[in-house]
Amino acid sequence: MNIIALKKTPFLLLIVLSVLLIQCATRDTISQKLVMRYNAPAAVWEETLPLGNGRIGMMPDGGIDIEHIVLNDITMWSGSKDNEAFNPDAINYLPEIRELLLSGRNLEAQELMYRHFRCGGQGSAFGNGKDAPYGSFQMLGDLHINYRYPQTDSVSFYERTLSLNNAVATTQFNRNGITYSREYFASHAHDVLVIRLTADQKKSVSFEVNLSRPERATVFVKENRLYMEGQLNDGYNGENGIRYLTQLEIVNSGGNLVSSGNTLSLSDADEAVILISTATDMLDKNHISTVEQLSVQAKSKYYDQLKYAHIDSYKEKFDRVALNLGKQDNITPTDERLIRFQSDDDPAFAALYFQYGRYLMICGARESNLPLNLQGLWANQVQTPWNGDYHLNINLQMNYWPVEVCNLSELNKPLIDLTTSLVPSGEKTAQTFYGAEGWVAHMMTNPWQFTAPGEHASWGATNTGGAWLCQHLWEHYAFTQDRTYLESIYPVLTGAADFFLSSMIREPKHGWLVTAPSSSPENAFYLPGSKDAVYVCMGPTMDVQIIKELFTNILSAAEILGMEDETTAKIRETIPQLPPMQISPDGHLQEWLEDYEEVDPQHRHVSHLYGLHPSNQISPVTTPDLAEAARKTLNRRGDAGTGWSRAWKVNFWARLHDGNRAYKLLKSLLEPTSGNEVKMSSGGGTYPNLFCAHPPFQIDGNFGGTAGIAEMLIQSQDGYIHLLPALPARWTNGSFKGLCVRGGAEVGATWKDGKITKLTLEAKTNNTFRLKVPDHAIAIKKNGKELSVENGFVPIGMKIGEKLDLDVIYPA
Ligand code: FUC
């Protein structure tokens, strides 16, 4: 048992550690020390600090006498396959529903859908699916540590921190002259949770520890180890539920470890390390031996070996990108910085928030596992809000907006795998509900490949969820240019297209081909002369934009792969028959085929601007009229909304090249919030731990915010690199490195007084990159030599691995 102390660390290891420390100290000047800091224990979960290694995680509250640490595993999902979802009766009503829509009787069509055109069974059980086949993502458990102190005088100093550079959290305080220190991390190298407890006086570490869970847990002690195990409901009270096992042990130096009942108790130790190893059998049929093995491996290491292996592994991803918007304040508590940001506009705080999004991405998901859900990896309930699932009408996709541009491309894999895994079930749904070819996923899914329409058509009718996911599949290619990968996903894209090609109908007014029935996510309208809210419609603008994008991407893929086939031929024929985007008489982009009046003009979803972001069908450069209509639409929608809605609007305004307005939305996303009751149109903002508040906590807004900041700094969706397309006045000087662009390159830039002075390009592929000459610049120079400019763009041919440093020249 050699985990314990630095004092036992061999000389060689010390040398390795010193080299690592020196490496950290000599990092480039753009990189910064990024610390979140708090001067009191967390009073609520939304103040605790999230740690994770993409599979498992924990959120310690830093309590002084009693510490509560919520534990997580991303595969803690109840439910199982729901065969009842494929409702065989629905298709019998499809012709009538379509007839009603074609004759403008949407309300009646909707009534029929409510009754018949929905999944069979319970569906998501309206977000209470924990004990239904749909299931729910759930917390793993609660770890409580009751500390014992020689004296219980008041505490003279207290701080909790989270280092974003190292993914290590700490708690430190002084009680009666003794400084107690705790260090926590979710090891990226050894796949265990680690907590080290020390004090600056010998024999001062004493505590009791236990594990629990609100339901479905058996806790026991064996050979001074604590175990918790159980099985979640498969939705049928059957044998197919996910099983989990958690093992906790304490390695200590100098203390006395005993167990009584289900509690481990350590007395008078010099220091202790709590090791938690945990797994479920969702993706690992040998989860019991995995738990044991991981624990044995971790125990064979010195604590510092564990810690630095973890840091090293985490940094490999985190250090790829840096953003410097000014001097980082690592002293002021983060909750105070959040409050102050509304008045001091500290640019460095925005940079911290940006990197926190990357931190959450690296710690919340890993390559071969489930994608980040509505909670990411972190939940403190058994029934999480909305089942903590994958909503496909914005939320899951938003989680993945930053992944490519923020240089974490490999973390896209879980999303790609999830999408691919939906195909067989999506084919059955296409057949059963529509008698159509290809595959379709509606508004929500789970690890059990749920693809049917939701149980309520007002939100469950959207059938472009799978096609929207296909946009992410394509974007991964756009950034990596990986042809083998493109070949592998080509059938997924064409399968999604086949569904629309075989199920769209012709609307009577213009003869356009449209989806029917469908809805514009969660927004309702009034039919002329009626005051009834209607959701069900034909060909909402978002559907058209998603389908057009899917079709266009398939044609590009087919060209690259040399794959003309029946689907591509049909796509070519169909594209001109899709509805165009329409501008309403008062200048807005129309959300529906008709210029209906919205029930809620400030609705949180802005689905019809999908074409502006994440797609590139609306742009101030190529489609100025549509961009103007989008601007009017956004002004009418207003700047409020749920957390994710504000985050989306940051991206919209960045795409409209309005940096100050994007910034205003970023500020509203960062509005300090408390409370965790579900609110659909107010209370959006940010909790003290910088988690996004829908409310309640929903992680999509964090990732949408991070992506939005990236959009303000760099864009590449129109075939060229546009640097600082939406720089707010407040970010006068700054620099970044390592952001990625489509075509396959990493870009860095430095700017002063809002003007780019230097930039760097590093090619990840052999390609020619088109760089937009920054506004007001007169030349771009490489080694003092001017590069040739064509219509405001500099074409730069590069070989894979090549790096370029360029200077931007302005009139004297
Ligand atoms: C969609 C949104 C809600 C919420 C939920 C998880 O239904 O309309 O605002 O984000 O997903």
Side-chain angles (χ1 to χ4, degrees), residues 20 66 129 230 315 343 348 361-362 393 401 419 445 475 506 529 537 549 603 676 693-694 773 776:
L20 273 171
I66 301 175
K315 280 175 110 45
S343 52
M361 174 72 72
I362 300 167
N393 63 6
W401 286 349
T419 307
T445 193
E475 286 285 285
R506 213 169 279 289
C537 66
E549 182 176 40
H603 197 269
N676 54 16
H694 177 287
V773 175
H776 312 296

Side-chain angles (χ1 to χ4, degrees), residues 727-738:
L727 188 72
R730 200 61 196 82
W731 299 350
T732 335
N733 301 320
S735 54
F736 65 77
K737 67 150 200 182

Side-chain angles (χ1 to χ4, degrees), residues 405 478-479 714-716 721 739-747 761 769:
V405 62
F479 278 87
I714 191 165
Q715 293 180 18
S716 64
I721 302 172
L739 293 180
C740 295
V741 290
R742 292 166 187 85
E746 276 184 26
V747 183
L761 278 181
F769 301 94

Side-chain angles (χ1 to χ4, degrees), residues 192-368:
V192 287
L193 305 173
V194 184
I195 304 164
R196 185 176 72 156
L197 308 157
T198 58
D200 65 357
Q201 275 183 34
K202 282 194 172 297
K203 304 259 165 232
S204 300
V205 175
S206 301
F207 61 85
E208 274 138 32
V209 60
N210 51 59
L211 284 170
S212 61
R213 189 172 197 278
E215 60 172 45
R216 292 177 178 265
T218 307
V219 179
F220 58 92
V221 170
K222 209 169 102 191
E223 293 163 3
N224 269 356
R225 289 190 200 119
L226 194 50
Y227 291 89
M228 181 169 77
E229 64 175 14
Q231 182 171 31
L232 307 185
N233 194 347
D234 60 5
Y236 304 94
N237 293 314
E239 282 303 299
N240 291 323
I242 290 297
R243 292 168 202 270
Y244 68 90
L245 172 70
T246 306
Q247 175 184 319
L248 179 152
E249 61 191 301
I250 300 172
V251 185
N252 78 92
S253 109
N256 181 28
L257 181 66
V258 294
S259 63
S260 102
N262 288 337
T263 302
L264 296 183
S265 171
L266 179 70
S267 303
D268 305 326
D270 297 334
E271 60 177 280
V273 174
I274 301 176
L275 278 180
I276 301 155
S277 173
T278 188
T280 79
D281 66 355
M282 181 193 272
L283 304 171
D284 178 0
K285 295 303 161 213
N286 299 318
H287 76 293
I288 294 176
S289 52
T290 299
V291 167
E292 174 65 16
Q293 268 168 26
L294 289 174
S295 175
V296 168
Q297 272 165 27
K299 257 176 37 183
S300 72
K301 305 287 175 203
Y302 293 98
Y303 173 76
D304 286 309
Q305 273 177 316
L306 274 186
K307 181 175 161 185
Y308 287 100
H310 155 69
I311 293 176
D312 221 21
S313 166
Y314 165 77
K315 280 175 110 45
E316 188 282 311
K317 289 185 168 49
F318 187 75
D319 285 354
R320 293 176 198 169
V321 172
L323 171 61
N324 191 328
L325 295 176
K327 196 174 168 335
Q328 205 46 255
D329 171 0
N330 287 318
I331 303 301
T332 308
T334 307
D335 40 355
E336 248 177 81
R337 287 183 79 187
L338 177 68
I339 294 167
R340 280 194 207 170
F341 183 69
Q342 295 298 317
S343 52
D344 75 3
D345 288 281
D346 177 10
F349 185 68
L352 177 85
Y353 182 74
F354 169 80
Q355 288 288 37
Y356 186 56
R358 293 189 64 251
Y359 167 85
L360 292 174
M361 174 72 72
I362 300 167
C363 297
R366 61 163 66 162
E367 281 169 74
S368 299

Side-chain angles (χ1 to χ4, degrees), residues 374 386 391 393 395 443 522 604-605 642 644 680 694 698:
L374 287 169
W386 288 284
H391 274 47
N393 63 6
N395 314 94
M443 182 273 192
E522 309 191 37
R604 62 194 179 282
H605 286 264
T642 56
W644 64 257
M680 300 309 281
H694 177 287
Q698 200 170 289

Side-chain angles (χ1 to χ4, degrees), residues 542-584:
M542 182 188 88
D543 281 9
V544 182
Q545 294 167 336
I546 291 178
I547 293 167
K548 191 157 177 206
E549 182 176 40
L550 173 68
F551 285 179
T552 315
N553 289 342
I554 289 174
L555 293 184
S556 307
E559 205 182 310
I560 295 160
L561 301 171
M563 299 261 233
E564 278 301 318
D565 53 28
E566 213 182 298
T567 303
T568 50
K570 269 204 224 154
I571 285 177
R572 278 183 220 287
E573 235 174 74
T574 307
I575 288 179
Q577 303 183 58
L578 296 174
M581 284 185 255
Q582 303 182 76
I583 298 174
S584 73

